[in-house]
Each structure stands twice: as C-alpha cells, then as structure tokens.
Amino acid sequence: MCGIVGYIGPKSVDSVLLVGLTRLEYRGYDSAGIAVLDSGELQVRKEKGKIKDLERLLQAHPVEGNIGIGHTRWATHGEPNRKNAHPHVDTHKRIAVAHNGIIENHFELKQELVREGHVFHSDTDTEVIPHLVEEELKKGMEIEAALFNTIQRLRGRYAFVLLYEKDPSRIFFARDGSPLVYGHGKGESFLASDVPAIVPAALEHYVIENQQWGWVTRDELHLLDYGKQSVGFELKKIEMNVQDLDKGGFDHFMLKEIFEQSGVMRGIINERIAEGGKVVFGEKNNSNEFLSRLSRIIITSAGTSWHAGLVGKAYLERFAKISTEVDLSSEFRYRNPVAEGDTKVLAISQSGETADTIASIYEAKAKFIRVLSFVNNTSSTIARESNSFIDLKAGPEIGVASTKAYTAQLMNLLLYALFLAGVKWILDKDERMRIFDEIRRIPDQIDQILSRADVIRQWAADFRETKDFVFLGRSFNYPTALEGALKLKEVSYIHASGYAGGEFKHGPIALITDEVPVVCITPQGEIYEKMISNIEEVRARKGKIISIHTEGDEKVPGMSDYSFGIPQCSELISPILAVIPLQLLAYYVAVERGCEPDQPRNLAKSVTVE
Ligand code: AGP
C-alpha cells in the first residue's frame, strides 16, 4: 500500500513523477503529493484524493526542477486529508520524505523529538523520519551519517525516498520490509515501489533488498547494507510492455483484464503443457524425490488468492492425492502450525507483496517448511523470500479487484496438481489425456462467455438499488460463490455473502426475502441435484434466482429469474469458467451504480500492512 517514486535526470520532474504515481495509483489513492528541488529550494505540493487532483493543484501552483520524490497514499496513520499527505518535511522544511510502510515506534520517537523542539505538521508515523534526520544534522552529522543513524532508530516495515535541499544531486533511500526498485535510463535514475512506474524510460533495474540504503545520482546507484558496507549489484534489463499498462480502449482496467482471460489461459497452456501431455514448470523447483514423498500441503493466501487456494486444495487432493489445508495468511502465523513429515507450504499472491502472506512465509521457514509461491510479480518480496516460485503469467493486473490473476491462479494450481500426479505416477494416461483435452478447450470457452457479456450488462440496471446479495455454490464452486460475493462487494459496495449450498439451511436462509437476489452456481455434475434443492428453497421464499448453469440445461433456466449458460465442461474445470460471468456482474453493477471499479473506496491493490 502506498506508492513511492523518485526521479533525477534531464526531464521535468513534475511530469515524470505524475506518470510514475499514476502507474502506482493501484497501491492507494487517498491522497498524493510531490516534493521537488525548484531553483535550489524545496517545494512541496500535496492534495487529498487522486493523482488527477494533484495534477490540478500543480496546474494552479506549478513547480520546476529535475530532482524530486512523490507519493500516492493508502492511509494507515492519520485521516486521508491534505495535511497527512506525503511527502512529509522536517521543522525547517529542508528535508522531504515519501514513505511506504509503518514506523511502529513513531509514538515514542515523536514524543522525544517534540521535547527537542521539533514542530510536527501531520498525524502520520512517517513524519518522524525527516525530523530524526534533521536532529542528526543538527548534531553536526553529514547527511549520509544522519540517514544511517535515523534508520537505526526505526522499527517496523518501510521503504522511503528522501530529498535534502542542501544536496541537490542525490536522492536518498532505505528499505526494510516494503518494496523499492532502482531504475536506470539514459542519464537518469529512478526509485519506485514497482517497475510499472518507471517504464519505458528506465531500461534496467535492480530490486533493492531489505536492509539496504544509499542514494542515487543521475548516473548511478550507491548501495550500502546496514553494516555500512558497500554492496555490489547487477542491473537487469526491464522486460515490460507499456501497452499492458494502459486501458487499451476499454473503459476500465477491470473490464480489460476480464477480457484478457482467454489470452492469459492460452499463454499458460502453451508454456506449461508440452507435447505428449507433460506438464512443465521451468522455475527452480524441489527435487522429484522430495515431491514424490510429499504428504501434506498447506496453502496460505489472502482474499481472492485464498479463494484460489480453496480450489487448489480440491485439485491437489483429487489429482496428486496430497492432503491439503488452506489457511488465511493472517491466521496461519497465529495458529502455530504443526510442522511434521514431508510438508510444503504454497503461498499464493498476485502482487507478491501481501504483508500477511509474507509473514506466514517467515513463519513456515522458521519451522523449516519449504515454501513454493505462486506469484504474478517475480521480482516481488514473496517470490524472493520463498524457496522457489511459479510465475502465474497473468501479465500486469492493475484493476484493484483481481480477475485475470484469479483464473491464472486456478489454471496454474490445476497444472501443478497434474504435475505432482505425474511425479508420483498416479494418474493413468487416458485420464491425463482427457483432462488435457478439456484444459486446451478453456480459452475458446472463455471467449464464448465473453462474447455474451452484454446479457449480463443488461441485468445490471435491475440491481441498482439492491442492498444484499447471496451467492451459493458447492464442492469445486463453493470458492466461486465466495469469489463472486467478494467481487461484487469490492466494486459495487453492495453487501454480498457467499455460502456453501449445504450450509444454507443452517442459518443463512433466514436472509431470504423477495428483495434478495441469490446467485446459484449450478453446473452439471455431482452437486447438480443438490443445487437444484437450494434453488427450490429460495424460490419457496420468493427470493430472486440468478443462475449460472451449463449450456443446454433444460431445467435450471426455467427455475431462474436470470440465467447464464457456461460451455459444457467437467465440474473441476467449471470454477475457471463460472467465475467469469460473476466478474462481469460485479463490474456492470458497479458501473450502473456510478462506482469506480478500478479504484474502490478504502482498498489498495497490494496490502502491505498486517
Ligand atoms: C481481490 O479482488 C482483492 N483486491 C484482494 O482480496 C486480494 O486478492 C488480496 O489482498 C490478496 O492479494 P495478493 O494476491 O496480491 O496477495
């Protein structure tokens, strides 16, 4: 949460920072600001709201210069207003800091600094940083020593960039716990929370590690560790397509990303299924010997990635016959998981920066459990802290509500389960071939669903005033019900709950009235008849039925107020297809209600606080 950016080079710094911040806006959009050295003087502009609000402020009160830092905020400490917007400055307004993370001991530090006569301007934890540096400078330290001594006093997770009025050719930084990337272009240097903020101008990058600090000039990065030793590093070429970072003619990233899902599936299938039906995971993996012994898997993840984990459990148990538990990352570390036998932890995360999931990886590693992560950002903290990782290959996902990363997670988990089944020699060839045939049909089936998106768009007006939704699914599609409800809540702000169909009669059925639409995920398969019973129970109580059923079903559409068919497929493939109409429902209802689906209130794409 929160995005930071720094720039030094020949271009006008305000426009470089604005582009960078816009690309980081998915990390938070409560307020935004920049600090620039304009003719040798530190100038700060900040505004409540989104980057476009900051842009308006800059039009009215422009700044000029070639060195500066910027920030887009997701509020943790202090209200989301202009006063608490970053960058924050010291008492004499010579040092500016943009920070991502939490300074846990800020309260004690602030008390101490106030006693020393420092004047604070905000309610944030961040503001202690420029004041601590100021205090060190007051004692006669050089800026490097002042920064180093400051870092020694901070507890918590952070990445920050710092501008000092008296040093107009360097941007200082430190990282411990929150992401920070250095980018190098032609006579220009960048610092940012994530690579999209610095492309295409930055050609090469280096991911700053935890407990590293230093400064950048126009031409180079000067890197040190927390023992004050210089650190060597290797710059890597940035491979990112700028087209992936714009809306490509769609009204919102969310809709674009929903429509990208067939292409994402094709890419994963081509990459992972080799001739003859062998599943390939090119990434560094465990030895086959260890994998064939594996007797227990614990999946740890959050939000949508947790829902993917629930489907992943079904795949792993069905195909690889490995007993699998699924934990919310935020709970995993507190239940003191038992580490015994040949256990492996799978951490699933689109961003690779979710603090709860990172904490659970540390917990697993402390118990000597090997961690394999499924991430969409291969230079992320989760990828680097895991023993090995699998690239989800969904491409950059910018909409805050996860869509294509979810289906990419399901596909990769399915293939990973088949890969493990292969290692253990437990799937007969015919069954393997039948599953692969089905998997290869998925991209076209998704295209078929998307070609009928208009059907769902037309439903949306009927739900403009709806207050509550219920989603029901069973077996493979219980997680689909949870995910459908989460999507709708996130982007349309309508209260929605997902339940396992079998649990419905144990309580949630009390919610049903003629004002509550119930989305019933009812594909053909083992649970079909049971889901029909759920539909009957809702109809008996005058609830409205929205059904997602298999095409050609002659029963369910007749029992439904709204119905949408997904192509014929086996039950285990159905979660990948059935979620797509639910993503579309959430999107179109949000737009109908005038909500901003790409930037839902109170949310941020990477949740980097625990
Ligand atoms: C999804 O729509 C959410 N915005 C959210 O639940 C998300 O899935 C969760 O925060 C986990 O994120 P991660 O996959 O990046 O770890």
Side-chain angles (χ1 to χ4, degrees):
M1 288 155 150
C2 298
I4 57 178
V5 60
Y7 175 75
I8 174 165
K11 296 175 185 143
S12 298
V13 67
D14 54 333
S15 42
V16 178
L17 294 177
L18 283 173
V19 170
L21 291 177
T22 305
R23 299 253 182 82
L24 293 178
E25 210 170 11
Y26 71 87
R27 301 178 70 87
Y29 30 83
D30 287 335
S31 64
I34 64 172
V36 166
L37 292 186
D38 186 341
S39 312
E41 203 179 305
L42 186 70
Q43 293 283 345
V44 178
R45 302 283 183 275
K46 45 195 198 175
E47 192 55 288
K48 180 180 171 175
K50 303 194 174 171
I51 309 298
K52 57 178 174 0
D53 300 302
L54 173 65
E55 216 170 325
R56 269 194 290 274
L57 176 77
L58 282 163
Q59 274 155 14
H61 304 281
V63 286
E64 280 181 17
N66 305 102
I67 176 169
I69 59 173
H71 188 271
T72 180
R73 178 169 189 245
W74 186 86
T76 55
H77 291 71
E79 252 184 74
N81 54 24
R82 186 191 278 188
K83 177 179 81 166
N84 290 328
H86 297 220
H88 290 288
V89 295
D90 62 314
T91 308
H92 295 97
K93 302 198 171 101
R94 289 192 200 111
I95 301 157
V97 169
H99 161 229
N100 168 209
I102 290 183
I103 306 300
E104 285 165 2
N105 57 337
H106 70 102
F107 186 72
E108 304 93 87
L109 292 171
K110 186 169 175 176
Q111 280 185 324
E112 178 189 316
L113 287 157
V114 167
R115 277 197 301 274
E116 294 297 328
H118 289 255
V119 178
F120 278 74
H121 312 281
S122 77
D123 310 319
T124 65
D125 53 333
T126 302
E127 201 184 336
V128 296
I129 303 174
H131 287 278
L132 282 170
V133 175
E134 179 182 37
E135 188 61 23
E136 293 294 324
L137 290 170
K138 223 161 75 185
K139 292 180 197 154
M141 299 287 164
E142 294 296 325
I143 181 70
E144 297 86 346
L147 177 58
F148 181 74
N149 291 350
T150 296
I151 297 164
Q152 304 306 303
R153 306 223 39 212
L154 303 178
R155 278 207 321 270
R157 290 164 53 85
Y158 57 82
F160 66 82
V161 284
L162 180 149
L163 203 57
Y164 180 35
E165 192 178 79
K166 295 197 171 157
D167 201 326
S169 56
R170 294 190 285 178
I171 302 173
F172 298 86
F173 65 87
R175 168 188 173 154
D176 196 9
S178 301
L180 190 63
V181 175
Y182 166 69
H184 184 246
K186 288 186 182 135
E188 52 190 352
S189 284
F190 301 81
L191 287 161
S193 300
D194 201 357
V195 176
I198 57 176
V199 288
L203 307 169
E204 298 174 300
H205 78 302
Y206 167 74
V207 181
I208 313 275
E209 301 274 352
N210 281 339
Q211 309 220 327
Q212 290 186 339
W213 67 288
W215 53 89
V216 297
T217 64
R218 274 183 177 219
D219 297 308
E220 56 184 19
L221 162 67
H222 195 97
L223 192 65
L224 297 114
D225 61 21
Y226 277 14
K228 275 196 185 164
Q229 298 300 308
S230 270
V231 178
F233 59 89
E234 198 188 320
L235 289 177
K236 287 204 179 122
K237 199 166 166 248
I238 296 181
E239 320 261 4
M240 188 171 278
N241 200 341
V242 198
Q243 278 100 313
D244 287 345
L245 304 174
D246 69 40
K247 291 185 198 148
F250 286 87
D251 289 343
H252 296 97
F253 282 109
M254 182 176 175
L255 190 61
K256 177 189 175 220
E257 287 158 5
I258 291 173
F259 272 81
E260 281 173 344
Q261 291 178 103
S262 52
V264 169
M265 293 295 124
R266 277 189 195 97
I268 298 170
I269 291 167
N270 290 342
E271 176 103 12
R272 304 250 183 255
I273 307 181
E275 288 287 310
K278 192 173 180 322
V279 183
V280 189
F281 282 100
E283 292 84 354
K284 188 160 69 83
N285 249 309
N286 299 130
S287 70
N288 282 3
E289 199 234 323
F290 171 75
L291 293 176
S292 58
R293 275 200 330 260
L294 207 60
S295 57
R296 180 174 170 231
I297 287 178
I298 307 173
I299 296 179
T300 175
S301 47
T304 288
S305 298
W306 179 66
H307 300 155
L310 295 172
V311 181
K313 168 185 163 74
Y315 291 155
L316 289 160
E317 292 189 336
R318 170 79 58 109
F319 295 117
K321 310 277 182 253
I322 300 174
S323 162
T324 304
E325 296 156 44
V326 190
D327 257 347
L328 289 163
S329 302
S330 52
E331 293 294 318
F332 176 81
R333 56 188 307 210
Y334 297 109
R335 77 166 166 114
N336 196 12
V338 178
E340 57 173 16
D342 295 304
T343 300
K344 191 174 168 91
V345 161
L346 302 191
I348 307 173
S349 175
Q350 187 287 128
S351 63
E353 297 296 346
T354 300
D356 290 325
T357 307
I358 295 171
S360 59
I361 290 174
Y362 292 147
E363 179 72 22
K365 285 171 78 180
K367 291 184 178 319
F368 304 101
I369 309 178
R370 295 186 70 77
V371 179
L372 167 68
S373 58
F374 287 70
V375 288
N376 203 31
N377 178 354
T378 55
S379 55
S380 61
T381 307
I382 290 181
R384 286 173 317 116
E385 294 297 325
S386 305
N387 298 99
S388 49
F389 66 83
I390 284 171
D391 183 354
L392 291 171
K393 295 194 180 293
E397 189 182 68
I398 293 163
V400 165
S402 187
T403 52
K404 63 175 180 171
Y406 178 67
T407 44
Q409 287 165 343
L410 299 193
M411 177 60 87
N412 278 290
L413 285 161
L414 172 58
L415 293 175
Y416 188 67
L418 292 167
F419 164 77
L420 289 179
V423 171
K424 295 172 85 179
W425 296 93
I426 50 174
L427 203 62
D428 80 58
K429 199 168 170 224
D430 289 349
E431 194 181 356
R432 248 181 117 74
M433 287 310 165
R434 191 186 52 70
I435 295 162
F436 285 131
D437 282 349
E438 274 221 70
I439 291 175
R440 287 198 186 90
R441 283 201 291 275
I442 291 174
D444 290 344
Q445 292 176 324
I446 293 180
D447 280 333
Q448 277 179 45
I449 293 173
L450 293 171
S451 70
R452 288 181 290 121
D454 250 8
V455 172
I456 295 173
R457 188 174 60 77
Q458 284 162 14
W459 298 350
D462 295 356
F463 303 115
R464 194 185 299 134
E465 306 301 332
T466 303
K467 300 262 180 306
D468 298 285
F469 261 84
V470 166
F471 288 71
L472 299 181
R474 287 175 185 241
S475 176
F476 285 99
N477 281 300
Y478 163 44
T480 314
L482 297 177
E483 177 60 8
L486 177 64
K487 279 301 81 95
L488 188 73
K489 273 187 278 218
E490 278 188 301
V491 296
S492 76
Y493 315 142
I494 295 177
H495 170 258
S497 298
Y499 300 102
E503 275 296 289
F504 191 49
K505 56 188 176 296
H506 294 289
I509 197 167
L511 296 169
I512 303 307
T513 69
D514 58 358
E515 291 183 355
V516 180
V518 181
V519 179
C520 296
I521 303 146
T522 320
Q524 293 289 353
E526 207 184 345
I527 52 76
Y528 179 72
E529 291 299 338
K530 296 280 190 310
M531 279 304 301
I532 298 268
S533 307
N534 281 131
I535 293 179
E536 293 288 17
E537 286 158 11
V538 176
R539 273 158 51 96
R541 285 154 187 90
K542 303 204 173 354
K544 282 195 197 79
I545 301 288
I546 301 174
S547 63
I548 307 298
H549 57 84
T550 306
E551 270 170 8
D553 185 321
E554 288 177 356
K555 208 166 174 185
V556 170
M559 303 169 76
S560 312
D561 300 274
Y562 305 84
S563 66
F564 190 92
I566 58 169
Q568 297 266 354
C569 64
S570 66
E571 221 169 340
L572 68 100
I573 298 291
S574 64
I576 303 179
L577 301 182
V579 76
I580 293 171
L582 305 186
Q583 295 168 344
L584 289 166
L585 178 69
Y587 171 78
Y588 287 123
V589 171
V591 172
E592 182 65 38
R593 286 164 59 86
C595 305
E596 165 49 88
D598 283 344
Q599 294 176 338
R601 71 181 175 214
N602 304 339
L603 299 184
K605 183 104 186 127
S606 320
V607 184
T608 56
V609 290
E610 285 177 57

